[in-house]
Amino acid sequence: MSKYVYSLFCCILISSCVSPKEILYLQDAEQYANKEISYSNAKILPNDVLRINVSALVPESVIPYNKVSSSAGGMSVELMQLDGYLVSENLTINFPILGILSVANMTTQNFAEFLKKKLEDDGHLRNPTVDVRLINAKVTVLGQVNQPGTFNFTEQNITLLQALGYAGDLTINGKREDVMIMRDEEGVRQITHIDLTSADWLEGPYNFIKPNDVIVVNPNNPKVKSAGFIGNIGTLLSVVSILLTTVVLITK
């Protein structure tokens, strides 16, 4: 009986083991060192909130074109979002004086250039400076991470590893070979799977996160096997201890 219990204990431990090859990130990263990084700005999407600031040599001339005054530089992100320009489902915003403007197929940089040209060509302002920023960018990280949730970011570009860092990194139960990313590409949902133990994805389109991406970290095989049976090593040891105690009492 004791041999049977011992064998069962060993089998459970073996099934719960995770090899180093399954938990180490970017195991071939050296092959991708000293490579040029390609940055790209995401296109503006419905429900994005834009902060648009127009400036010129004569400050009074731009007052009608600014929804948020330059004195609001110390405002929190939450207040700026309330005073920002919400992009409609038709990819338009309602801009002062100019009315309805389309932002379809534009990045924030593209739209800043478009707006500057329109203000000049239509005779509104002379040599204005236009700054456009996305102020409600967010990424959602779910699954086997230490702090799942939705995280806001203000950087123009953040990497997949940075996004996972916001979520406190993967737990030991996260399947590093199968991290799923869901992304909206021009109204079409795209789904891909990333192997974090390799570094080949660093040169692909998913190295940088885009606003509204959803990252799902799937559980690894030991976690799946233990689900509903033995949740952690503490419970495992308790079960084995009870079994061994029972065997000792019976065989006395």
Side-chain angles (χ1 to χ4, degrees):
M1 181 68 176
S2 60
K3 290 183 179 180
Y4 173 77
V5 174
Y6 177 76
S7 300
L8 175 63
F9 176 65
C10 292
C11 289
I12 293 174
L13 283 180
I14 292 172
S15 67
S16 301
C17 290
V18 180
S19 69
K21 290 189 67 175
E22 294 178 295
I23 62 174
L24 298 179
Y25 296 122
L26 309 175
Q27 296 172 29
D28 55 349
E30 289 77 9
Q31 301 179 33
Y32 299 89
N34 302 316
K35 295 285 185 75
E36 184 177 350
I37 300 175
S38 177
Y39 294 93
S40 63
N41 296 331
K43 290 182 179 179
I44 299 171
L45 298 175
N47 297 317
D48 281 350
V49 178
L50 306 177
R51 183 171 187 263
I52 303 174
N53 184 61
V54 181
S55 58
L57 291 176
V58 181
E60 293 77 13
S61 65
V62 300
I63 291 176
Y65 305 94
N66 279 315
K67 198 172 181 180
V68 180
S69 67
S70 57
S71 62
M75 292 175 63
S76 67
V77 173
E78 290 78 12
L79 289 176
M80 285 193 291
Q81 289 177 2
L82 291 175
D83 282 331
Y85 295 87
L86 178 64
V87 179
S88 72
E89 294 182 1
N90 297 322
L91 290 170
T92 61
I93 64 169
N94 189 2
F95 193 78
I97 310 298
L98 302 182
I100 302 298
L101 299 177
S102 174
V103 297
N105 297 314
M106 293 188 192
T107 64
T108 54
Q109 183 178 354
N110 296 150
F111 185 65
E113 294 168 353
F114 162 80
L115 186 54
K116 171 182 169 64
K117 186 174 186 304
K118 185 170 182 60
L119 289 169
E120 287 181 316
D121 291 352
D122 292 357
H124 295 276
L125 296 169
R126 180 177 296 179
N127 195 28
T129 299
V130 179
D131 178 63
V132 180
R133 293 194 63 181
L134 175 64
I135 55 177
N136 70 329
K138 57 186 177 294
V139 59
T140 300
V141 187
L142 303 173
Q144 296 298 318
V145 291
N146 287 298
Q147 297 174 344
T150 298
F151 306 91
N152 296 317
F153 60 92
T154 56
E155 298 93 330
Q156 190 76 271
N157 291 279
I158 68 167
T159 66
L160 171 58
L161 293 178
Q162 285 177 304
L164 292 172
Y166 286 154
D169 197 8
L170 279 68
T171 67
I172 195 65
N173 296 316
K175 189 172 184 179
R176 285 144 175 82
E177 307 100 314
D178 185 20
V179 174
M180 181 171 66
I181 302 178
M182 292 189 292
R183 173 174 295 174
D184 182 349
E185 291 280 9
E186 299 181 0
V188 178
R189 181 179 294 109
Q190 303 290 342
I191 298 178
T192 192
H193 294 262
I194 298 294
D195 180 359
L196 294 180
T197 65
S198 173
D200 57 357
W201 56 272
L202 291 175
E203 295 188 317
Y206 290 91
N207 179 30
F208 288 100
I209 289 300
K210 292 187 177 182
N212 304 312
D213 277 0
V214 176
I215 303 169
V216 180
V217 179
N218 291 309
N220 57 22
N221 290 332
K223 178 64 176 176
V224 172
K225 291 177 182 178
S226 68
F229 177 53
I230 298 175
N232 55 59
I233 191 64
T235 305
L236 172 63
L237 293 176
S238 298
V239 171
V240 172
S241 176
I242 292 171
L243 288 174
L244 289 176
T245 301
T246 302
V247 170
V248 170
L249 293 174
I250 293 175
T251 55
K252 272 188 175 182

